[in-house]
Every structure is written in C-alpha cells, then in structure tokens.
Amino acid sequence: MDSVATALDRIWPSELRTDRLLLRPVTTEDGLLVHELLTDDRVRAHLGGPVTEDRVAARQAAYPTTAGAFTVVRVADQRPIGLVTIAVDHRCEGRAELSYQLLPAAWGEGLGREAVAAAVSWWTDAVPGGGPLVAVTQKANSASCRLLEAIGMTVVDELDEHGARQCLYTPAGDKDDSDLRWLRLLAARRDAVERRRGAQARATAAGQNLPDDLAALTPEELVRLCPARHGAYGRICARMADHAGPSPGPGTGRRVDRLADDG
C-alpha cells in the first residue's frame, strides 16, 4: 500500500467536474477565498473560530503547493466558493483525511455535498491501495454530519478533540469494504503500539521485562508484581525495593489475572 503522501503525489494535479462544479488545484489567485473561509464566523463556528491573520497568510502560501487541495468553483458564474482537501491524517499513520469548507453564500444548494462526493469518489477510484479515508466533524455540527451521511459515509468512532466531541466518518460499504478493513487494522496496530510505549514509559525496569502472558510467571515472580496497577492500559509493573505500593497478600495470583483482563 502506498503512503497517503506518495499516492497523492502520484495522481496530482487533478481536476474534477460535476454537473455544477469544477474542483481544481488551489492557486495563489485563491488568496481572497482562503481569507474569507478562515475568518468567517459562520464557516469557523465548529472549527475553532476565525484564525489570525498570520495563520491566514501561512495557509494562503501553503495551499497552492499542497497535493490534494481543491478549490471548488461554481461553473454557472465561475466563482470560487470553497475548499475540499484530502491530506495525510496525522492522527493515524497510513490514513487520509477529508476536510471541506464552503462560503455561506453557497449553502443550502447541495453544492457542498456535490463537491465532497466528487472528492471521495476521486480518492476511492484513483487510489485503490491508498488506505482508508476518514472525515472528522464536530458532533454538534449537524449540517456537516448530514452531508457526510448523505454521500454514504458512516460513523465508525467518536473522539474528543479541540475541546469538543468529534465524529469520525469513513465511506460505508459491504462487510468486505477495504477502507473500513484498513481503518480497523491501522487502529488496532496503533493501539498496540501505544500500549507498548505506555508500559515502557511507566513501568519499572523490572516491570518492562514482564512477559505479555502473566500466567507464565512463576509463584516467585508473581509476588514481585505491583498490585497498584502501574503502567498504561492495566499493564502490571514489578515492585522494586523502594517501591511504595502495598505488599501483595495471599490472593496475589488471582489479583494479577483480574488486572490483566482489565487491560
């Protein structure tokens, strides 16, 4: 599977056409559009609010060189009305993230839905090995949730980010949907890595050397375990001589098994 960045570089630049829209790469001439989108209270209501002029300038400079960043142009009057971007999702390696913003003057006509659907189809068709595509939107942003659901995306997770509850969407499909399989696989791998890193960071030196299967420990090794649940995700650390945890009692073996199951 190509990395998201590699896949984007391979198929960029691209232009997409729908009945009413043209999606083309962002250019320097789109600076005014970028400024409008990033400073409008209504557009930014669920995106952390309007951004500073410094950040606007940085985005204006970055967009024209960003693979996967489309300007949405209304064909009827050739006016740029929004941005749709597919980029690397920095929450999870190997995953692409869809984002979109539309000027309020273009709301209520189904143009956002048309633009986002075109971008999703483009990614799915052009990058079959590109891994999962997700979109993250505030749960309180009902209009954005309806848009994603209207084009066939489905919620697969919720998370807290930027001080608000977020819904994570991915294109729906049958039980063999490749994007959803990749999403779950990558999430499982990331979780395993985080568990390992957390245990290594928090456990004592002796605890870091504990086997994954605590049932394999001898009775002598069991009495050295810390009953205080130190370590990430319920991993048990080993007590050192200066450890402040309580001494294990007669039920230590049963306690270890229960804590291991909790993790």
Side-chain angles (χ1 to χ4, degrees):
M1 180 182 71
D2 289 342
S3 71
V4 173
T6 299
L8 282 169
D9 286 339
R10 178 164 48 82
I11 60 176
W12 195 255
S14 295
E15 284 193 354
L16 314 178
R17 293 181 182 272
T18 69
D19 291 341
R20 298 180 290 173
L21 302 172
L22 166 68
L23 279 69
R24 58 161 175 76
V26 180
T27 70
T28 55
E29 285 72 31
D30 296 316
L32 179 59
L33 170 68
V34 173
H35 187 279
E36 287 186 80
L37 290 170
L38 296 181
T39 58
D40 188 284
D41 289 333
R42 292 167 293 176
V43 175
R44 302 291 302 177
H46 296 283
L47 297 171
V51 306
T52 64
E53 290 296 328
D54 287 345
R55 288 187 64 191
V56 169
R59 299 280 187 90
Q60 288 171 325
Y63 271 125
T65 60
T66 301
F70 291 101
T71 292
V72 181
V73 179
R74 186 165 48 199
V75 173
D77 56 10
Q78 292 299 302
R79 184 187 177 192
I81 59 171
L83 299 173
V84 174
T85 302
I86 292 180
V88 174
D89 179 5
H90 296 288
R91 301 177 192 84
C92 181
E93 182 180 356
R95 196 167 74 183
E97 181 180 9
L98 166 74
S99 58
Y100 46 89
Q101 301 173 64
L102 208 66
L103 292 174
W107 292 358
E109 303 176 39
L111 296 174
R113 182 170 63 249
E114 192 171 319
V116 172
V120 171
S121 294
W122 169 73
W123 176 258
T124 303
D125 294 342
V127 194
L133 174 67
V134 299
V136 178
T137 190
Q138 272 195 29
K139 192 171 185 177
N141 190 351
S142 56
S144 183
C145 293
R146 286 196 303 269
L147 183 155
L148 294 172
E149 290 161 10
I151 66 170
M153 298 186 79
T154 186
V155 177
V156 293
D157 199 4
E158 291 189 11
L159 60 147
D160 292 313
E161 193 172 72
H162 309 305
R165 193 66 172 169
Q166 311 283 341
C167 292
L168 187 148
Y169 284 82
T170 197
D174 59 28
K175 293 181 180 179
D176 294 326
D177 181 76
S178 60
D179 279 355
L180 198 53
R181 289 206 317 274
W182 274 110
L183 174 67
R184 289 168 175 162
L185 175 62
L186 291 171
R189 288 180 177 173
R190 180 180 60 173
D191 188 56
V193 169
E194 290 305 315
R195 291 187 186 207
R196 191 176 306 113
R197 287 175 179 169
Q200 291 171 349
R202 302 185 190 188
T204 63
Q208 291 180 25
N209 294 321
L210 286 174
D212 289 333
D213 181 10
L214 296 182
L217 296 177
T218 66
E220 291 75 19
E221 290 170 324
L222 283 173
V223 298
R224 295 178 57 236
L225 295 182
C226 167
R229 259 194 112 170
H230 291 169
Y233 292 91
R235 177 162 173 91
I236 313 303
C237 73
R239 282 196 308 126
M240 304 297 287
D242 58 349
H243 191 70
S247 299
T252 300
R254 291 188 297 276
R255 172 68 171 165
V256 167
D257 288 343
R258 189 177 72 78
L259 291 177
D261 290 341
D262 287 348

